[in-house]
Amino acid sequence: MSDLIARALPLYGVSPDTPLTLLNRSENETWAAGDLVLRLHRAGYHTKAEIASELAWLGALQDLPGLNAVRPVPGRQGLVSEIDGRLLVAFARLPGQELQPGDDLSRWFAPLGEITARLHLHARAWTPPPGFTRKRWDVETILGPRPHWGHWRQAQGLDGPGEALLARATDALATRLAAYGTGPERFGLIHADLRLANLMVAGESLTAIDFDDCGFGWWAYDLAAALSFIETDPRLPDLIARWLEGYARVSPLGREDRAMIPSLIFLRRVLLTAWLATRADSDTAQGFGGPDYTAGTLELAEGYLTNGLRCFVEKS
């Protein structure tokens, strides 16, 4: 795809001879070219209107106090470019590096809670432009028969007993989420993928990137997404406490929302289990996917049925 990216560079006033570096191949491909990062969208996932809506929200978030978010860069075709039938967008390149599991995460989760609360406050008050459209992240679109990221039954290494266990656990999860509901006090426009790889650290600054999965979901789901791929880390209760601390500095999170945190973490884990199977070509799947991840999901399913995964929020 480097040839396609090179041919797209003049749309952004950049020479096609500019050296290209593939940064990541996940849901999409991201490439660095000079001062730009270009995202080549996976064919058939988001529509052009959905991508334009993501960038409309991202544009509205620029320069808000206490909130750093990646800046979209328009090209000759506007914020969303199309070349050879593929959709492409560009962002200003940021200094620093992605947050890593081995970093001192405890230091960063309170600031992340603050950033997340500011995103939510903005979303609650913001009037989207006409035609704004983003996916919903709810029971139907994650656990239903035609989920956005594939069905958990496709998980690698899943056998009959494991499938039966996960079916029981996801049925219990769906029942609890249905009772929790999707009223505006707990459900709205969220980032939906604030995992470590989508947080850039430079000095004391934390910047949210990759709003590609932003959409309508539970506010507390943004915490669950932040814990992607580290759900079994012994630091989890402390990280949750720090995140809640930071969030509360900006906006309250209700008791019912806090009580749903283990369920939303389990929901995210099930979603990722499906995604790793259906995106086996991604760098992320190569790093985290396979039967071992599925086995970890089954352990969490057993814990969810046994005690609701209270260990996620109980500090030792």
Side-chain angles (χ1 to χ4, degrees):
M1 289 297 174
S2 59
D3 178 62
L4 186 151
I5 298 293
R7 287 187 289 113
L9 291 180
L11 295 174
Y12 297 92
V14 178
S15 167
D17 298 325
T18 301
L20 293 171
T21 303
L22 178 63
L23 299 177
N24 184 264
R25 181 182 287 109
S26 188
E27 186 63 49
N28 311 298
E29 289 185 8
T30 52
W31 295 78
D35 294 331
L36 292 181
V37 170
L38 296 105
R39 181 210 288 160
L40 180 65
H41 282 263
R42 181 182 288 269
Y45 182 48
H46 284 314
T47 65
K48 189 172 184 178
E50 286 175 326
I51 298 168
S53 297
E54 170 206 347
L55 300 183
W57 188 34
L58 196 46
L61 293 172
Q62 297 303 308
D63 304 318
L64 292 180
L67 175 62
N68 298 320
V70 65
R71 185 181 299 274
V73 175
R76 274 190 234 150
Q77 297 180 11
L79 283 170
V80 185
S81 301
E82 186 169 351
I83 184 166
D84 292 355
R86 297 294 297 277
L87 299 173
L88 181 139
V89 297
F91 304 94
R93 198 168 181 178
L94 294 168
Q97 60 184 15
E98 297 171 357
L99 202 54
Q100 302 291 329
D103 292 342
D104 181 8
L105 299 183
S106 182
R107 172 188 175 191
W108 293 108
F109 261 64
L112 176 57
E114 291 187 39
I115 286 173
T116 308
R118 294 187 193 283
L119 284 173
H120 295 171
L121 281 179
H122 181 273
R124 289 175 189 269
W126 185 53
T127 302
F132 186 90
T133 177
R134 292 298 300 174
K135 288 178 169 59
R136 282 177 65 90
W137 299 102
D138 57 19
V139 172
E140 183 65 20
T141 63
I142 296 176
L143 300 176
R146 289 183 296 279
H148 292 321
W149 281 2
H151 202 283
W152 58 260
R153 292 181 190 276
Q154 299 169 274
Q156 298 177 53
L158 187 64
D159 59 14
E163 184 174 345
L165 169 62
L166 208 42
R168 292 196 305 275
T170 53
D171 283 350
L173 176 61
T175 298
R176 186 157 192 197
L177 289 169
Y180 181 49
T182 57
E185 71 283 359
R186 57 192 50 158
F187 194 96
L189 182 59
I190 61 172
H191 182 287
D193 196 23
L194 279 171
R195 60 193 177 98
L196 304 186
N198 291 334
L199 298 165
M200 292 291 289
V201 176
E204 298 299 312
S205 174
L206 190 66
T207 300
I209 65 171
D210 196 359
F211 282 63
D212 181 54
D213 289 311
C214 73
F216 298 95
W218 292 281
W219 303 118
Y221 180 82
D222 267 340
L223 168 56
L227 300 168
S228 297
F229 304 115
I230 57 170
E231 304 93 344
T232 58
D233 193 303
R235 296 171 292 178
L236 218 70
D238 181 62
L239 297 181
I240 292 170
R242 299 256 179 189
W243 188 95
L244 289 170
E245 226 175 78
Y247 196 98
R249 290 176 199 155
V250 177
S251 179
L253 192 69
R255 182 179 297 179
E256 287 188 341
D257 303 307
R258 290 170 180 251
M260 287 300 294
I261 288 169
S263 291
L264 292 170
I265 294 173
F266 181 51
L267 177 70
R268 175 70 174 183
R269 176 76 183 213
V270 172
L271 175 69
L272 291 175
T273 303
W275 185 86
L276 290 169
T278 59
R279 300 292 192 268
D281 60 331
S282 70
D283 295 342
T284 310
Q286 313 258 328
F288 293 102
D292 286 348
Y293 193 82
T294 301
T297 302
L298 293 175
E299 287 181 22
L300 294 178
E302 188 71 59
Y304 189 74
L305 288 170
T306 303
N307 58 28
L309 293 173
R310 287 193 302 272
C311 57
F312 278 159
V313 291
E314 292 175 353
K315 296 177 71 172
S316 59

